[in-house]
Amino acid sequence: MEFVLQKSDNKTKARAGKLTTDHGEIQTPVFMPVGTLGSVKGVHMKDMEEEVKASIILGNTYHLYLRPGLEVLKGAGGLHRFNSWKRPILTDSGGFQVFSLSHRRKLSEEGAEFQSHIDGSRHFFSPEGVVDIQRTIGADIIMAFDECTPYPSTVQEAKHSLKFTKRWTQEAMDYLREHPPLHGYPQYFFGIAQGGMHRDLRKEAIEQLIDLNPDAYALGGLSVGEPTDIMYEIADYSTDFLPKDRARYVMGVGTPWNLLELILKGVDMFDCVMPTRNARNGMLFTSQGVLHYKAARYAQMIEEAIDPHCDCYTCRHFSKAYLRHLFNAKEILALSLSSIHNLHFYLRLMEQAREKIENDSFESWAHEQIQVLQQKAP
Amino acid sequence: MEFVLQKSDNKTKARAGKLTTDHGEIQTPVFMPVGTLGSVKGVHMKDMEEEVKASIILGNTYHLYLRPGLEVLKGAGGLHRFNSWKRPILTDSGGFQVFSLSHRRKLSEEGAEFQSHIDGSRHFFSPEGVVDIQRTIGADIIMAFDECTPYPSTVQEAKHSLKFTKRWTQEAMDYLREHPPLHGYPQYFFGIAQGGMHRDLRKEAIEQLIDLNPDAYALGGLSVGEPTDIMYEIADYSTDFLPKDRARYVMGVGTPWNLLELILKGVDMFDCVMPTRNARNGMLFTSQGVLHYKAARYAQMIEEAIDPHCDCYTCRHFSKAYLRHLFNAKEILALSLSSIHNLHFYLRLMEQAREKIENDSFESWAHEQIQVLQQKAP
């Protein structure tokens, strides 16, 4: 997989780069909107292209495996043809979801047995099996099946999941090498480094991964309940050991200011349900800080857009008062308009970060934004 | 208000015409999608313009009066500026909603006292007050405040609501004449003829209305529980007495085949929540009949659009299998995609009806469609 490191910031570890897949190029830093079940909740694919301008979206292997299931996805010729998304797709491995099922799953060296959260039916995910599911889905980027180390975890526990993850990653890569893509385009493979909040184990995990030489590197097991400072510190520590000529991906993070902090620490790729989930709950991210539709003062703000500096569809056409009204009246359009805005905001923030990295003004801008974006919006 | 009757069918009472408002022209027969609370549920305004191609939408006076309320609508400069819909808007009078509140309203010659369905607060709608609300909303077309005669009703009951409706219509028209529009463009006034299912009273109601000379005529109190044949019969009977040079509107109807039947009987305008409400429940209207997403056979229909002859956004991009999956997984996008399709289908049907009327082939086409559209879709 081609990853070109186009610019390294001269003051921080921030980077600007470019990933190339058969479905298109991805400029980094990049935020990848989550399309759990093959749709980004509440947002039309055409709006994902034209308004959000996403260059890649995620699909969740666990969810897609259960619904619509492999038979349908195979029949459709992969997820791209099923959901009509023309640009790249990354699928997670299902590892995180399966391990989140806690009492409904049983782990062994071979993989994980689990019960569906929908109907309780029993299933088994092996490293090879998960690669096969992702081959059927036709993801441009396949994630390794890993064991997500919980927080907190003892050194012993973290070592244990490291052992499984290492073995599974090897097996997945071997399997992928021996089984050509089903849909005629290459599928790239990202390894995942675990290690909990233990520096030594993070380093060990990364070194093991480097031996396997995946197309890019993800840091898993972050944003799992640890204090934010520890997350930043572990990411900062870890990126020092990652090869410069490969992309780095922190999974499942986070707020806009989390993203900027992690870019400062040398991370290139992000995904999170936060922009869409929070949008559906009426929480909007703006260039002036965070707002919640419920604030009574918005009822009369008939001229002001959610974000005066935003040029998304929502902000171009509608006021705070209108959006508040739609939420109040439980109109489903509120969910869609808010999701479009939040996603556009995340994507635009990554675009700006890139511009700032390119002209060596990232550090001061990022630190300022990290303050501003957390404020309460007017 | 300019209404041009452009073509009368040579075999039936069907008509093709054109209404002109400051926000644009409306070609008839026309279906007007319902935007109860200032949004057409689940459909972006841009999709209402570009995909559904609606030439006019409805707003509900009762609902908009309660939420967002007159203060906000006044501040916004009317509903067009609030919801960013640039084309014409028609508002009902709230009469139907108020009378539906049954035990929560009290009627007098002066108007109706009622309790909000949201918080139980008490309000009063008078004929003049309702005109004032619609002036604030800035509707291009204002409907008279009427008493909707229930079904069944005795001659005595129907006479009673006729008496109220006549008086209120007169008062509303007087008030509107004396109070200029608030937003700088003309607001037209449609009278409503009631009369239950009693022919004599329908005729009487229409004759009374003709004396008042409203911009157009609506038939109210249809589709309120009576057998469909009776609805058709009353509409057929009524249009014989309506002036040919004014538009005719049957409120709150109906299925696609209801619309075709009523066009045959000389009706020009329609509105109904059915295309959007049924869409949200997974029921789709197609050129091959009606389908419900739940049918198991759709799970594997990965090539077939909802309607193979439809060129709406949904049908251009997605399969029956994808839509079924979204409904199954309770993805909100299913509601939006289905609503776009159903509305597009209704609007396209009206467009086709117009073409057929223009070239004198409406009758046989309509009768064929009335059969086909009610079938179970493959």
Side-chain angles (χ1 to χ4, degrees):
Chain A
M1 178 181 218
E2 194 193 29
F3 173 72
V4 182
L5 180 60
Q6 297 169 305
K7 178 76 169 79
S8 293
D9 187 30
N10 57 0
K11 293 188 191 130
T12 73
K13 292 160 75 178
R15 301 141 47 98
K18 190 179 77 182
L19 278 162
T20 305
T21 78
D22 258 36
H23 284 100
E25 286 183 355
I26 301 153
Q27 300 217 307
T28 64
V30 65
F31 179 81
M32 305 182 281
V34 179
T36 304
L37 279 147
S39 99
V40 178
K41 289 188 197 303
V43 184
H44 287 299
M45 284 304 181
K46 64 190 172 112
D47 292 329
M48 289 302 298
E49 284 172 27
E50 295 159 23
E51 292 293 332
V52 175
K53 297 187 172 72
S55 58
I56 175 170
I57 64 172
L58 245 77
N60 285 117
T61 290
Y62 167 82
H63 290 287
L64 291 165
Y65 163 79
L66 293 177
R67 289 183 304 198
L70 298 184
E71 204 187 331
V72 171
L73 286 166
K74 190 171 284 178
L79 184 57
H80 285 95
R81 289 197 52 215
F82 190 55
N83 73 4
S84 121
W85 175 250
K86 305 276 178 287
R87 298 177 188 167
I89 293 174
L90 178 149
T91 42
D92 68 0
S93 65
F96 185 76
Q97 269 84 15
V98 167
F99 296 113
S100 305
L101 294 173
S102 52
H103 63 284
R104 287 185 172 202
R105 49 98 178 149
K106 218 176 103 185
L107 218 63
S108 69
E109 268 186 285
E110 282 70 38
E113 193 192 328
F114 62 94
Q115 281 184 272
S116 157
H117 72 287
I118 303 165
D119 61 4
S121 56
R122 289 180 184 282
H123 305 266
F124 188 78
F125 271 4
S126 70
E128 299 91 342
V130 164
V131 166
D132 247 357
I133 299 170
Q134 294 178 87
R135 285 172 69 235
T136 302
I137 293 173
D140 297 270
I141 299 173
I142 286 177
M143 300 300 300
F145 190 59
D146 62 331
E147 192 198 322
C148 183
T149 315
Y151 178 83
S153 61
T154 63
V155 172
Q156 216 43 44
E157 287 163 340
K159 266 192 181 166
H160 184 264
S161 66
L162 218 62
K163 196 182 111 195
F164 275 20
T165 300
K166 181 192 171 186
R167 175 181 165 160
W168 292 351
T169 305
Q170 176 76 68
E171 287 169 357
M173 290 184 76
D174 290 347
Y175 187 86
L176 186 60
R177 205 170 294 119
E178 291 152 19
H179 295 80
L182 292 172
H183 305 300
Y185 50 84
Q187 297 182 284
Y188 303 104
F189 185 91
F190 284 20
I192 303 175
Q194 291 288 344
M197 306 305 153
H198 310 287
R199 287 180 167 228
D200 291 356
L201 296 183
R202 284 280 171 186
K203 182 164 179 279
E204 189 184 323
I206 290 167
E207 284 167 354
Q208 287 172 358
L209 262 189
I210 289 173
D211 286 343
L212 297 175
N213 194 27
D215 291 301
Y217 295 80
L219 300 176
L222 293 178
S223 195
V224 291
E226 76 281 11
T228 316
D229 284 347
I230 295 182
M231 171 177 77
Y232 294 152
E233 188 204 310
I234 292 292
D236 195 16
Y237 177 82
S238 300
T239 52
D240 283 343
F241 301 97
L242 290 170
K244 292 212 184 309
D245 61 348
R246 301 288 164 93
R248 297 100 171 253
Y249 168 24
V250 169
M251 302 167 78
V253 178
T255 61
W257 46 96
N258 289 161
L259 269 53
L260 294 178
E261 289 277 11
L262 290 172
I263 293 172
L264 282 165
K265 291 163 178 54
V267 179
D268 307 309
M269 302 175 74
F270 307 94
D271 80 282
C272 195
V273 294
M274 186 174 278
T276 40
R277 180 176 291 167
N278 288 24
R280 295 196 304 281
N281 293 326
M283 183 178 168
L284 290 119
F285 298 101
T286 84
S287 63
Q288 301 179 322
V290 180
L291 67 83
H292 197 283
Y293 83 89
K294 279 195 175 163
R297 66 184 178 283
Y298 298 142
Q300 291 294 336
M301 290 196 184
I302 45 107
E303 299 289 349
E304 294 87 342
I306 291 298
D307 186 340
H309 303 116
C310 177
D311 65 345
C312 80
Y313 171 69
T314 306
C315 290
R316 286 201 315 276
H317 292 92
F318 305 104
S319 61
K320 285 177 179 160
Y322 184 64
L323 209 69
R324 184 178 192 274
H325 162 63
L326 293 185
F327 267 114
N328 255 346
K330 304 204 190 312
E331 290 283 290
I332 51 180
L333 215 51
L335 315 180
S336 181
L337 288 171
S338 304
S339 298
I340 288 176
H341 168 77
N342 271 359
L343 286 175
H344 181 278
F345 181 77
Y346 268 64
L347 275 281
R348 175 72 188 124
L349 189 71
M350 294 299 96
E351 212 176 276
Q352 287 173 292
R354 193 181 151 88
E355 287 161 17
K356 300 293 177 184
I357 294 166
E358 280 168 348
N359 60 32
D360 287 319
S361 58
F362 182 68
E363 189 179 29
S364 58
W365 176 82
H367 285 300
E368 192 201 322
Q369 290 297 310
I370 287 164
Q371 297 309 312
V372 171
L373 300 184
Q374 298 185 56
Q375 291 173 359
K376 201 164 134 182
Chain B
M1 179 182 219
E2 196 194 27
F3 173 71
V4 181
L5 179 60
Q6 298 168 305
K7 176 80 170 78
S8 293
D9 187 29
N10 58 357
K11 290 189 194 131
T12 73
K13 290 160 76 179
R15 301 142 45 98
K18 190 179 76 179
L19 278 162
T20 305
T21 78
D22 258 37
H23 284 100
E25 286 182 355
I26 302 152
Q27 300 218 306
T28 64
V30 65
F31 180 81
M32 305 182 281
V34 179
T36 304
L37 279 148
S39 99
V40 177
K41 290 190 195 301
V43 184
H44 288 299
M45 283 305 180
K46 64 189 171 111
D47 291 330
M48 288 303 298
E49 283 172 29
E50 295 159 23
E51 292 294 332
V52 174
K53 298 188 175 69
S55 59
I56 175 169
I57 65 172
L58 245 76
N60 285 115
T61 290
Y62 167 84
H63 290 287
L64 291 166
Y65 163 78
L66 293 177
R67 288 182 305 197
L70 297 184
E71 204 186 334
V72 171
L73 287 167
K74 190 170 283 179
L79 184 56
H80 285 94
R81 290 197 54 213
F82 190 55
N83 74 3
S84 122
W85 175 250
K86 305 277 179 285
R87 298 178 190 168
I89 293 174
L90 178 151
T91 42
D92 67 0
S93 65
F96 185 76
Q97 270 84 15
V98 167
F99 297 113
S100 305
L101 294 173
S102 49
H103 63 285
R104 287 185 173 203
R105 49 100 176 148
K106 217 175 102 186
L107 217 62
S108 67
E109 267 186 283
E110 282 69 41
E113 195 191 326
F114 62 93
Q115 279 184 276
S116 155
H117 73 287
I118 303 165
D119 60 7
S121 56
R122 287 179 186 282
H123 305 266
F124 188 78
F125 271 4
S126 69
E128 298 91 344
V130 163
V131 166
D132 246 358
I133 300 171
Q134 294 178 86
R135 286 172 70 234
T136 302
I137 293 172
D140 296 271
I141 297 172
I142 287 179
M143 299 301 299
F145 190 59
D146 64 331
E147 194 199 318
C148 183
T149 316
Y151 178 84
S153 60
T154 63
V155 171
Q156 216 42 45
E157 288 163 341
K159 267 192 181 168
H160 183 265
S161 66
L162 218 62
K163 195 183 112 194
F164 276 19
T165 301
K166 181 193 171 185
R167 175 182 165 158
W168 293 351
T169 305
Q170 175 77 66
E171 287 169 357
M173 289 184 76
D174 290 346
Y175 187 86
L176 186 61
R177 206 169 293 119
E178 290 152 19
H179 295 80
L182 292 171
H183 305 301
Y185 50 83
Q187 297 183 284
Y188 302 103
F189 185 90
F190 284 19
I192 303 176
Q194 292 287 345
M197 306 305 153
H198 310 287
R199 288 180 167 225
D200 291 355
L201 296 182
R202 284 280 169 188
K203 183 162 177 278
E204 188 184 325
I206 290 168
E207 284 167 354
Q208 287 171 358
L209 263 188
I210 289 174
D211 286 342
L212 297 175
N213 194 26
D215 291 301
Y217 295 80
L219 300 175
L222 293 179
S223 195
V224 290
E226 78 280 11
T228 316
D229 285 346
I230 294 184
M231 172 177 76
Y232 295 153
E233 187 204 311
I234 292 292
D236 195 15
Y237 177 81
S238 301
T239 53
D240 283 343
F241 301 97
L242 290 171
K244 291 211 183 313
D245 60 348
R246 300 290 163 91
R248 297 98 172 255
Y249 167 24
V250 169
M251 303 167 77
V253 178
T255 61
W257 46 96
N258 289 161
L259 268 54
L260 295 179
E261 290 276 12
L262 289 173
I263 293 172
L264 283 165
K265 293 167 178 47
V267 178
D268 307 308
M269 304 175 74
F270 307 93
D271 80 282
C272 195
V273 295
M274 187 174 275
T276 40
R277 180 177 291 166
N278 288 25
R280 296 197 303 281
N281 293 326
M283 181 178 169
L284 290 119
F285 297 101
T286 83
S287 64
Q288 302 178 322
V290 180
L291 67 82
H292 197 282
Y293 84 88
K294 280 196 173 162
R297 66 185 179 281
Y298 298 143
Q300 291 293 334
M301 290 195 184
I302 45 108
E303 300 289 347
E304 292 88 342
I306 291 297
D307 186 339
H309 302 116
C310 177
D311 66 345
C312 81
Y313 171 69
T314 306
C315 290
R316 287 201 312 277
H317 293 92
F318 306 103
S319 62
K320 284 177 179 159
Y322 184 64
L323 208 69
R324 184 178 193 274
H325 162 63
L326 292 185
F327 267 113
N328 255 346
K330 302 200 191 315
E331 290 283 289
I332 50 178
L333 216 52
L335 315 181
S336 182
L337 289 172
S338 304
S339 298
I340 289 176
H341 168 76
N342 272 359
L343 285 175
H344 183 278
F345 181 76
Y346 268 65
L347 274 280
R348 176 71 189 124
L349 190 69
M350 293 301 96
E351 212 175 275
Q352 286 174 291
R354 192 181 153 86
E355 288 161 18
K356 300 293 177 185
I357 293 167
E358 280 168 348
N359 60 32
D360 287 318
S361 57
F362 182 68
E363 188 179 29
S364 58
W365 175 82
H367 285 300
E368 190 200 323
Q369 290 297 310
I370 286 164
Q371 297 307 313
V372 171
L373 301 183
Q374 297 186 56
Q375 291 172 359
K376 203 165 135 180

